[in-house]
Amino acid sequence: MQRTPAPSRASSPSADPAAAPLCDLGIPHAEGVSDDDFKAAMSRLAAGVVLVTAHDPDDGPSGEDVGMTATAFLSVSLDPPLVLVSLRNDSRMDDLLAEVPVWGVSLLAESQRHVAGRFAMKGRVSDRLLFADLPYTRGPHSGAPLIGGALATLECRTESRVVAGDHTLVVARVLATTLPSAEGGPLTYFRGKYRTLG
């Protein structure tokens, strides 16, 4: 009776660290990666630019609209329709969406660089003036401003929140979409600048 040779120690997964599952290796965090190196690497990944909006009913007698430019926004699931946005921890939008479950997203067109720029400003006291001269409609599901001229708009309801490092990942169900007759391509962000596909 012919016997099958036993695997050698060199070919055994448990003896070869390279063949072991990653979860068993105890790989430490890459402490040597600096903030600048990480930012430089990720800046080479082109991203679409969106404006996340919500209505804060507790700010003033009639509430206040809040907006935030984001590039970390993506679709997650078709059934059910889910999207994800990444928010900096303790930012105004992060704090607001922890309390307000419904919000809006406007996918910005290449002609809306000025919209992205104004809502990316840091240290602003109020968003009221930022919306003052912008055309928008108020979403029927969320009450959030949906910017006119955007390539598409979505209304979302938060399903879950996950803290990931210095950001919070907000997963939300899409309640409604609109596809305005906007012309041109998307506004993108690449190597630290707003750009167009053309």
Side-chain angles (χ1 to χ4, degrees):
M1 177 176 178
Q2 186 176 5
R3 300 179 61 184
T4 303
S8 67
R9 291 178 61 86
S11 64
S12 171
S14 60
D16 182 2
L22 289 178
C23 59
D24 294 341
L25 295 180
I27 298 174
H29 173 68
E31 299 288 350
V33 178
S34 70
D35 289 353
D36 289 342
D37 288 343
F38 179 66
K39 288 178 181 178
M42 295 310 297
S43 74
R44 300 188 180 199
L45 178 65
V49 184
V50 305
L51 183 68
V52 179
T53 54
H55 184 73
D56 184 355
D58 298 326
D59 191 340
S62 58
E64 183 176 16
D65 296 322
V66 178
M68 183 201 80
T69 302
T71 55
F73 176 80
L74 54 92
S75 81
V76 173
S77 167
L78 182 61
D79 184 17
L82 299 175
V83 293
L84 178 149
V85 66
S86 179
L87 307 175
R88 181 172 50 82
N89 293 344
D90 301 321
S91 64
R92 185 176 184 191
M93 187 62 75
D94 180 38
D95 292 342
L96 179 57
L97 294 194
E99 302 295 330
V100 176
V102 287
W103 40 283
V105 181
S106 300
L107 281 58
L108 298 183
E110 59 189 3
S111 62
Q112 295 180 309
R113 186 177 306 201
H114 63 291
V115 176
R118 72 168 63 180
F119 285 96
M121 292 188 303
K122 296 180 181 179
R124 60 185 188 267
V125 177
S126 170
D127 284 7
R128 187 171 284 109
L129 294 177
L130 301 183
F131 283 103
D133 62 344
L134 291 179
Y136 66 83
T137 59
R138 199 166 290 283
H141 299 277
S142 63
L146 304 174
I147 302 301
L151 296 180
T153 64
L154 300 84
E155 291 187 88
C156 308
R157 184 184 66 225
T158 299
E159 298 263 306
S160 62
R161 293 168 53 89
V162 179
V163 175
D166 58 6
H167 277 62
T168 298
L169 308 179
V170 181
V171 177
R173 182 182 294 255
V174 177
L175 304 175
T177 64
T178 61
L179 301 172
S181 57
E183 297 182 359
L187 183 63
T188 62
Y189 194 71
F190 179 69
R191 287 194 169 183
K193 295 181 179 180
Y194 296 118
R195 302 177 188 266
T196 63
L197 292 183

